[in-house]
């Protein structure tokens, strides 16, 4: 073991240890002692500096695997990224061989799944350059895609490996797949039907619709609307009357309200779809008969009229259904 006097330098601000010689003895271990201290004392009038304990470093001189320029790599990828797009170029620093008569072989790069150590079906890495490209379309909303989840975010986590002369180094690579609003809401059924009385209470749910959106977050949040002035729909899809209904619009004892309900997501751009609503509204006995043309009548009858003699005919009606008395 050698005391590394003048063999290495330490950056006083960053603590980075760097080489100071052009050549080191193969197989030798160099020992360094490093100490840190405050750059300025707490008391401006004091000349006393706080110092740390002494750290001892042992550095082996020998062939070294290529060094990555970062300890971790991270990229965001939209799920609609084009197949063949370049995603990330990972560069490394290679070291000169200790034996200057020997040349190093080319570096080779690999990308392995963190869980299974299999090659990724979605990414391709150029073996000699370290360039990662997309080789298969992503779908944020497809649960069958093998993904590694962190909390509620979608991450694809890999090990990026570089090999050179039998030595290798690895670094974690994370791709976060970003959701794109590429799915429209879909109703469970295209037509919803219900039957109610015309005197149904305003605001009472008559039927409920439901739409689903395979996207996530705001891209999957649905807002419902209806295109009829007599009805409203809640955030949960419950449809109710917002004014008194009327079944006496035809000569039948019922009336069918026909209108559409629309589900729209909150993504950008927004996507929407519609379903048809049929509500059969049945008549109730809520309208008393009315005399026509008036409720006041005047007539005369002979004092010697015999029993059963017609005196006056009156008429009462209820909407379009008439009753004669």
């Amino acid at each position: 073991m050698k005391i590394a006097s003048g063999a290495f330098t330490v950056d006083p601000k960053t603590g980075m240890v760097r080489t100071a010689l052009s050549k080191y003895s193969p197989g030798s271990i160099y020992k360094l002692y490093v100490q840190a201290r405050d750059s300025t004392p707490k008391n401006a009038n004091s000349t006393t500096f706080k110092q740390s304990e002494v750290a001892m470093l042992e550095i082996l001189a020998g062939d070294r695997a290529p060094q990555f320029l970062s300890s971790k790599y991270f990229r965001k990828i939209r799920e609609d990224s084009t197949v063949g797009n370049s995603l990330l170029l990972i560069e490394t620093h290679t070291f000169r061989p200790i034996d200057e008569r020997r040349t190093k072989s080319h570096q080779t790069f690999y990308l392995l799944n963190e869980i299974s150590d299999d090659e990724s079906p979605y990414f391709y890495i150029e073996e000699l350059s370290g360039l990662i490209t997309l080789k298969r379309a992503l779908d944020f909303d497809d649960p069958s895609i093998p993904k590694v989840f962190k909390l509620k975010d979608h991450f694809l986590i890999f090990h990026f490996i570089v090999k050179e002369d039998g030595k290798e180094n690895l670094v974690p690579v994370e791709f976060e797949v970003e959701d794109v609003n590429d799915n429209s809401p879909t109703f469970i059924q295209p037509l919803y039907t219900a039957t109610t009385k015309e005197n149904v209470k305003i605001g009472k749910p008559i039927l409920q619709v439901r739409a689903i959106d395979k996207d996530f977050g705001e891209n999957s949040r649905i807002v419902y609307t209806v295109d009829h002035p007599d009805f409203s729909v809640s955030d949960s899809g419950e449809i109710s009357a917002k004014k008194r209904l009327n079944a006496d619009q035809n000569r039948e004892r019922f009336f069918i309200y026909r209108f559409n309900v629309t589900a729209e997501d909150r993504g950008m751009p927004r996507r929407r779809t519609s379903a048809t609503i049929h509500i059969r509204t049945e008549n109730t006995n809520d309208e008393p008969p009315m005399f026509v043309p008036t409720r006041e009548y005047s007539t005369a009858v002979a004092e010697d009229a015999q029993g059963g003699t017609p005196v006056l005919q009156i008429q009462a009606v209820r909407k379009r259904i008439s009753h004669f008395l």
Side-chain angles (χ1 to χ4, degrees), residues 1-2 4 8 28-33 55-61:
M1 183 177 295
K2 297 183 179 181
F8 299 91
S28 297
I29 298 176
Y30 293 81
K31 182 181 292 186
L32 289 78
Y33 295 92
M56 184 185 73
L57 309 179
E58 291 185 355
I59 301 176
L60 172 65

Side-chain angles (χ1 to χ4, degrees), residues 18-213:
R18 301 181 185 276
T19 58
L21 302 177
S22 60
K23 187 175 182 181
Y24 294 85
S25 301
S28 297
I29 298 176
Y30 293 81
K31 182 181 292 186
L32 289 78
Y33 295 92
V34 181
Q35 188 175 49
R37 70 176 186 176
D38 293 338
S39 59
T40 57
K42 291 183 178 179
N43 187 341
N45 297 322
S46 173
T47 58
T48 302
F49 293 87
K50 295 291 186 180
Q51 294 182 335
S52 70
E53 296 179 347
V54 175
M56 184 185 73
L57 309 179
E58 291 185 355
I59 301 176
L60 172 65
D63 281 346
R64 183 180 180 184
Q67 184 72 32
F68 292 102
L69 303 186
S70 177
S71 60
K72 180 180 179 180
Y73 292 88
F74 172 80
R75 287 291 186 276
K76 290 185 177 182
I77 313 172
R78 288 170 54 95
E79 66 168 322
D80 60 352
S81 295
T82 304
V83 173
N85 275 5
S86 298
L87 304 176
L88 179 63
L89 176 62
I90 298 182
E91 297 179 308
T92 60
H93 175 74
T94 187
F95 298 89
R96 291 178 300 173
I98 293 177
D99 185 352
E100 296 182 353
R101 295 171 297 179
R102 180 172 62 85
T103 58
K104 287 195 172 184
S105 62
H106 291 293
Q107 299 178 23
T108 53
F109 301 93
Y110 304 90
L111 192 66
L112 299 181
N113 187 292
E114 186 185 58
I115 300 299
S116 63
D117 284 341
D118 296 327
E119 292 188 5
S120 169
Y122 299 98
F123 303 98
Y124 169 76
I125 183 168
E126 294 183 2
E127 190 174 285
L128 299 180
S129 69
L131 178 65
I132 301 175
T133 57
L134 185 65
K135 71 176 182 180
R136 178 177 170 184
L138 295 169
D139 186 352
F140 184 95
D141 317 300
D142 184 356
S144 66
I145 292 182
K147 295 175 179 175
V148 178
F149 291 151
K150 283 189 175 180
L151 300 179
K152 58 182 179 181
D153 297 322
H154 289 60
F155 284 82
L156 300 173
I157 306 178
F158 303 94
H159 282 145
F160 187 97
I161 300 174
V162 58
K163 293 184 179 181
E164 181 185 62
D165 287 347
K167 293 180 174 58
E168 67 178 43
N169 199 357
L170 62 83
V171 66
V173 178
E174 294 184 4
F175 292 116
E176 180 183 359
V177 183
E178 294 184 302
D179 186 31
V180 175
N181 192 28
D182 56 350
N183 291 291
S184 297
T186 303
F187 281 99
I188 302 300
Q189 57 193 73
L191 172 65
Y192 293 84
T193 62
T195 299
T196 188
K197 296 293 185 180
E198 65 178 347
N199 63 347
V200 63
K201 185 178 179 180
I202 293 176
K204 179 181 179 180
I206 300 173
L207 63 86
Q208 184 173 22
V209 300
R210 180 170 176 251
I212 57 174
D213 193 313

